[in-house]
């Protein structure tokens, strides 16, 4: 089995997300000559991840990831990670390059699990637990009333933890306190409340 195709597919949401623009994401799809397909993803700048994967081959230490992975064995993941690390050595060793490599790595593990017909957790040493708590996450509403409605709907759907954040947090500490207080009141004392400040606060404000 050989890798026959590697695609970097940027995603864009249909809605708006306050001052930070629309939702975004990127999926990496790795296809083998035998028809198995693996998927990975990265929470990074989609256009940059795509460029790192699709950049041309210049030499062994300066290449896009795609060109050192095509026609290779997708099950030899350690060797493929080493090939990616060497191919990017001369232009980047961390940051978004590692995020792009990790997205490819996820897709390779997806293929390996499918090829061997076992859960990926078994390939990584076995499951440590059979259940995980789940929380719902979404941006804040345009008003506190809308935010409260969002939170109430999530709890009514069965979530015992919710996360809100980003815009408009940060512009007015008193308003931020009001937003968090309204969320706590909406979800009640028992549900878990997570707040993502999005780098909006200094330490004193956060406390």
């Amino acid at each position: 089995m050989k890798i026959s195709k590697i695609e970097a597919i940027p995603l864009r949401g249909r809605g708006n997300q306050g001052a930070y623009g629309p939702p975004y994401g990127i999926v990496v799809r790795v296809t083998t000559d035998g028809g198995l397909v693996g998927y990975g993803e990265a929470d990074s700048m989609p256009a940059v991840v795509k460029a790192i994967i699709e950049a041309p081959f210049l030499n062994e230490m300066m290449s896009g990831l795609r060109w050192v992975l095509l026609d290779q064995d997708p099950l030899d993941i350690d060797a493929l990670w080493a090939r990616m690390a060497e191919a990017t050595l001369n232009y980047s060793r961390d940051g978004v390059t590692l995020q792009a490599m990790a997205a490819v790595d996820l897709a390779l593990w997806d293929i390996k699990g499918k090829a061997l017909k076992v859960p990926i957790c078994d390939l990584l040493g076995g499951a440590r637990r059979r259940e995980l708590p789940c929380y719902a996450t979404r941006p804040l509403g345009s008003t506190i009333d809308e935010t409260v409605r969002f939170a109430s709907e999530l709890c009514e759907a069965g979530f015992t933890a919710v996360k809100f954040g980003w815009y408009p947090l940060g512009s007015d500490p008193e308003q931020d306190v009001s937003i968090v207080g309204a969320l706590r009141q909406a979800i009640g004392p028992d549900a878990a409340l997570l707040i993502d400040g999005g780098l909006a606060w200094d330490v004193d404000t956060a406390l």
Side-chain angles (χ1 to χ4, degrees), residues 85-102:
E86 182 179 11
T88 59
L89 185 63
N90 216 23
Y91 66 89
S92 180
R93 302 178 185 184
D94 52 22
V96 70
T97 300
L98 277 179
Q99 292 173 325
M101 291 167 60

Side-chain angles (χ1 to χ4, degrees), residues 126-147:
R128 302 297 180 89
R129 54 188 61 82
R130 293 297 173 187
E131 293 183 351
L132 291 170
C134 178
Y135 70 85
T137 182
R138 67 165 301 151
L140 293 163
S142 57
T143 66
I144 289 181
D145 287 344
E146 186 177 41
T147 295

Side-chain angles (χ1 to χ4, degrees), residues 102-187:
V104 172
D105 189 70
L106 286 170
L108 296 174
W109 282 105
D110 189 18
I111 288 172
K112 191 164 188 173
K114 291 171 178 175
L116 300 179
K117 295 183 171 51
V118 296
I120 295 171
C121 64
D122 289 351
L123 300 176
L124 299 175
R128 302 297 180 89
R129 54 188 61 82
R130 293 297 173 187
E131 293 183 351
L132 291 170
C134 178
Y135 70 85
T137 182
R138 67 165 301 151
L140 293 163
S142 57
T143 66
I144 289 181
D145 287 344
E146 186 177 41
T147 295
V148 164
R149 178 170 59 81
F150 291 159
S152 298
E153 289 172 352
L154 293 174
C155 288
E156 289 168 4
F159 290 99
T160 58
V162 297
K163 185 177 84 169
F164 286 83
W166 292 80
Y167 182 82
L169 295 178
S171 59
D172 180 349
E174 291 185 5
Q175 175 182 265
D176 295 349
V177 170
S178 297
I179 290 171
V180 175
L183 279 167
R184 170 50 68 198
Q185 186 171 4
I187 68 175

Side-chain angles (χ1 to χ4, degrees), residues 4-52:
S4 60
K5 193 174 186 181
I6 301 173
E7 301 164 274
I9 307 165
L11 306 177
R12 183 180 174 121
R14 297 189 180 122
N16 293 320
Q17 192 166 309
Y20 298 96
Y24 65 89
I26 186 161
V27 169
V28 172
R29 180 165 57 200
V30 177
T31 304
T32 70
D33 58 1
L36 283 180
V37 179
Y39 292 91
E41 60 87 26
D43 183 12
S44 188
M45 179 66 172
V48 181
V49 172
K50 183 177 176 69
I52 290 168

Side-chain angles (χ1 to χ4, degrees), residues 53-75:
I53 291 172
E54 297 181 353
F57 178 89
L58 298 183
N59 59 55
E60 286 76 8
M61 294 189 295
M62 194 179 295
S63 171
L65 301 180
R66 173 190 287 171
W67 310 110
V68 298
L69 297 173
L70 290 173
D71 298 323
Q72 301 298 309
D73 178 359
L75 305 186

